[in-house]
C-alpha cells in the first residue's frame, strides 16, 4: 500500500480529524502560493491543502507540514455547485509560502522581508520540491509531466488569458498544474512558476539554467511609470526598440524620461484599444500594454 505521509513532513497541523474528506487515488498535483510569509492557519483546516512548504533560509531547505493523507481530498480549491469536482478529483495540493505577485515581491523586498518570489525561486527550494515530486511519483504515480502553460501574475488571474482548463480538460488531466488552471476558480497562483526546473530535479537530471517556465511573459512592476527610475525601465526600452517603436535617445537606462514616453505613445497610437480612457497621448505603458508589447517583441 502506498505511503500516505511524506517522510520529511511534520504533522503539526493535521486536519483530517476535523475534515475527514473523500477517499481518492491521486494522479494530479496542484501548486498554490500562500501570498504570506508564515504558516497559514487555514481557518482551522477548512481551507487547507494537502501539504504546505515553508522556506528555511538559514539552512537553505524547505520545511514541510502535511495536513491530510495523500489519498484524501484537501480543501484549498473553490468547488461550485453544478459544475465539476475540484478538491475531490484526484488532486494532491501544495501551498508554497511566499508570493507569485511581482508587486508584493517588490514591497516585501523594499521592507526587508525574507521571502521567496516563486517565479524566481532559489535552486535549493526547487530541488526540495523536486524531491517531493519524485516521492509522489514513486508512491502515488503522479506523472512527472505538465501539459499547461504557467502564466505570470496578474495575467494568470481569472480566465481571460485562456490558461484555465475546461471541465472536460480538468476531468481528464494528470500531471502537474497550478491553481490558475483549475476550473471554477479565479486565482492566478503560482504565477510563472519554474515547473520545468522542478521536474528536472525530480527526474534526477541537471535542471535547465535560467527561468524555464512555459511562458516568458512577465508582469509590469508597479514602480514603472513616467518620470520614475526603476530597473525594469531598461527592459521596457529594449522591448520598445525590438517591437519597432524606437529609437529611444539616451537608452538604455533606468529612467522613464520623455524619450521613453514618446516611444510608449507611439506604441499606444498603434494599439489604441490599450490607451487609458480619455487620454489622447498615453505615455504610461500599463500592465495590459506591457504584455502586448512583449508579444510584439517576440516573447511567448
Amino acid at each position: 500500500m502506498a505511503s500516505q505521509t511524506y517522510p520529511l513532513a511534520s504533522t503539526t497541523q493535521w486536519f483530517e480529524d476535523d475534515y475527514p474528506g473523500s477517499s481518492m487515488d491521486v494522479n494530479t498535483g496542484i501548486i498554490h502560493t500562500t501570498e504570506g510569509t508564515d504558516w497559514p492557519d487555514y481557518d482551522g483546516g477548512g481551507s487547507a491543502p494537502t501539504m504546505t512548504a515553508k522556506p528555511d533560509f538559514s539552512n537553505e531547505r524547505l520545511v514541510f507540514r502535511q495536513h491530510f493523507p495523500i489519498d484524501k481530498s484537501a480543501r484549498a480549491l473553490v468547488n461550485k455547485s453544478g459544475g465539476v469536482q475540484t478538491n475531490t478529483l484526484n488532486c494532491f495540493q501544495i501551498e508554497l509560502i511566499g508570493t507569485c505577485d511581482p508587486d508584493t515581491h517588490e514591497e516585501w523586498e523594499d521592507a526587508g522581508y525574507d521571502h521567496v518570489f516563486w517565479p524566481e525561486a532559489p535552486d535549493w527550494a526547487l530541488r526540495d520540491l523536486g524531491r517531493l515530486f519524485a516521492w509522489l511519483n514513486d508512491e502515488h504515480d503522479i506523472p512527472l509531466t505538465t501539459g499547461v502553460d504557467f502564466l505570470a501574475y496578474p495575467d494568470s488571474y481569472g480566465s481571460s488569458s485562456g490558461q484555465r482548463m475546461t471541465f472536460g480538460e480538468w476531468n481528464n488531466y494528470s500531471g502537474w498544474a497550478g491553481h490558475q488552471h483549475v476550473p471554477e476558480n479565479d486565482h492566478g497562483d503560482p504565477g510563472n512558476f519554474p515547473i520545468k526546473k522542478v521536474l528536472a530535479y525530480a527526474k534526477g537530471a541537471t535542471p535547465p539554467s535560467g527561468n524555464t517556465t512555459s511562458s516568458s511573459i512577465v508582469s509590469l512592476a508597479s514602480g514603472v511609470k513616467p518620470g520614475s527610475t526603476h530597473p525594469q525601465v531598461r527592459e521596457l526600452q529594449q522591448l520598445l526598440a525590438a517591437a519597432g517603436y524606437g529609437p529611444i535617445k539616451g537608452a538604455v537606462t533606468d529612467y522613464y524620461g520623455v524619450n521613453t514616453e514618446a516611444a510608449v505613445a507611439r506604441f499606444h497610437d498603434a494599439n489604441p484599444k490599450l490607451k487609458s480612457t480619455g487620454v489622447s497621448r498615453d505615455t504610461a505603458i500599463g500592465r495590459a500594454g506591457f504584455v502586448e508589447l512583449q508579444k510584439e517583441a517576440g516573447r511567448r
Side-chain angles (χ1 to χ4, degrees):
M1 179 180 292
S3 174
Q4 293 299 313
T5 55
Y6 184 47
L8 299 181
S10 161
T11 55
T12 299
Q13 290 178 292
W14 189 256
F15 298 126
E16 186 192 15
D17 293 341
D18 293 327
Y19 297 98
S22 300
S23 296
M24 56 188 190
D25 185 11
V26 296
N27 62 6
T28 298
I30 298 299
I31 304 165
H32 304 253
T33 52
T34 65
E35 302 306 307
T37 58
D38 206 352
W39 298 106
D41 65 11
Y42 297 120
D43 301 317
S47 59
T50 317
M51 192 178 293
T52 303
K54 181 181 180 182
D56 176 353
F57 295 98
S58 297
N59 296 300
E60 294 193 344
R61 67 188 182 104
L62 293 180
V63 179
F64 295 92
R65 288 184 181 179
Q66 189 166 340
H67 312 299
F68 299 103
I70 303 297
D71 284 327
K72 283 291 186 75
S73 58
R75 304 177 63 86
L77 295 170
V78 172
N79 192 177
K80 298 179 180 179
S81 61
V84 292
Q85 297 303 313
T86 58
N87 291 304
T88 59
L89 193 67
N90 302 337
C91 64
F92 166 91
Q93 300 182 54
I94 184 166
E95 289 269 9
L96 307 176
I97 293 178
T99 185
C100 70
D101 184 343
D103 289 347
T104 301
H105 168 51
E106 185 177 17
E107 291 171 10
W108 289 355
E109 200 167 47
D110 290 344
Y113 298 155
D114 283 340
H115 67 282
V116 170
F117 176 50
W118 281 99
E120 299 174 2
D123 281 347
W124 54 263
L126 303 179
R127 174 205 65 207
D128 283 4
L129 279 180
R131 191 173 297 162
L132 169 65
F133 284 24
W135 180 85
L136 287 165
N137 177 251
D138 290 341
E139 291 287 329
H140 295 273
D141 296 323
I142 297 180
L144 296 177
T145 59
T146 186
V148 292
D149 292 338
F150 283 75
L151 302 187
Y153 188 88
D155 298 301
S156 57
Y157 185 84
S159 303
S160 61
S161 297
Q163 86 286 2
R164 208 163 297 275
M165 297 184 207
T166 65
F167 289 177
E169 289 169 339
W170 171 245
N171 285 331
N172 292 300
Y173 192 81
S174 62
W176 286 92
H179 197 176
Q180 63 176 267
H181 302 109
V182 182
E184 298 186 353
N185 288 245
D186 57 13
H187 289 66
D189 51 317
N192 51 333
F193 181 77
I195 186 66
K196 290 184 180 179
K197 273 193 171 185
V198 177
L199 293 174
Y201 274 123
K203 295 172 185 176
T206 301
S209 60
N211 187 342
T212 56
T213 57
S214 297
S215 173
S216 61
I217 303 293
V218 300
S219 297
L220 182 70
S222 59
V224 179
K225 58 189 70 174
S228 68
T229 300
H230 191 283
Q232 200 180 40
V233 173
R234 290 176 172 266
E235 182 180 16
L236 170 62
Q237 293 169 346
Q238 291 167 336
L239 290 166
L240 286 163
Y245 299 106
I248 303 172
K249 186 178 180 181
V252 177
T253 72
D254 292 345
Y255 179 58
Y256 197 140
V258 293
N259 295 316
T260 303
E261 290 181 34
V264 171
R266 290 193 289 272
F267 164 80
H268 279 124
D269 288 343
N271 297 277
K273 291 183 179 180
L274 295 174
K275 279 186 179 182
S276 299
T277 304
V279 175
S280 59
R281 184 176 184 269
D282 193 352
T283 62
I285 186 62
R287 286 181 171 176
F290 192 57
V291 169
E292 175 59 29
L293 177 62
Q294 291 176 79
K295 292 177 180 177
E296 290 187 19
R299 289 185 181 176
R300 295 292 182 267

